[in-house]
Amino acid sequence: QVQLVESGGGSVQAGGSLRLSCAASGYSYSDYCMGWFRQAPGNEREGVAAINIAGSRTTYADSVKGRFTISRDNAKNTLYLQMNSLKPEDTAMYYCARLAISTWCTTTLSRNAYDYWGQGTQVTVSS
């Protein structure tokens, strides 16, 4: 079965960095676009970044452009999110997700386009 397992979250001070990882298994990882999402308490889950199969095309939410970088290693079935210059407003549970359709790869940040989700990893940024 499809499994997505995030890791790398933690607590950092504003201005710090974290690197999230998402290990995928149970399907052909290199056939699917992937994305990162986050959800803070009381807020809806929002798209943060998405990447195509080859890693050559990415999309970012305006709030993280220039600070976050999404990447993938298809040989290791792993998705990454490098987060720099973290701000308190980045505090949230972070989830990786698989795009629902393998034959149509798009770097959309719409959560409705994704079908499998990890359990999340908590990121807390203090001021």
Side-chain angles (χ1 to χ4, degrees):
Q1 70 278 19
V2 175
Q3 282 196 317
L4 300 171
V5 180
E6 302 95 336
S7 61
S11 296
V12 296
Q13 290 192 326
S17 298
L18 283 174
R19 189 193 195 202
L20 306 184
S21 298
C22 170
S25 62
Y27 72 103
S28 181
Y29 174 75
S30 59
D31 285 345
Y32 288 81
C33 278
M34 298 290 295
W36 284 100
F37 292 76
R38 66 186 181 187
Q39 187 168 17
N43 291 353
E44 292 189 351
R45 191 168 298 188
E46 62 174 356
V48 174
I51 190 167
N52 70 342
I53 292 170
S56 57
R57 189 170 73 249
T58 56
T59 300
Y60 294 95
D62 288 343
S63 58
V64 306
K65 278 181 183 176
R67 300 188 298 121
F68 290 13
T69 302
I70 187 172
S71 62
R72 64 190 296 165
D73 186 333
N74 288 341
K76 295 182 178 180
N77 289 358
T78 303
L79 180 72
Y80 302 100
L81 185 68
Q82 178 67 45
M83 305 186 295
N84 298 329
S85 302
L86 282 162
K87 305 175 181 180
E89 51 264 43
D90 294 319
T91 296
M93 187 74 78
Y94 282 72
Y95 302 88
C96 65
R98 187 192 80 167
L99 194 75
I101 303 175
S102 65
T103 55
W104 172 67
C105 184
T106 174
T107 54
T108 178
L109 296 181
S110 171
R111 64 181 186 271
N112 294 329
Y114 293 79
D115 59 354
Y116 283 94
W117 300 80
Q119 82 291 345
T121 186
Q122 178 67 38
V123 172
T124 302
V125 185
S126 59
S127 57

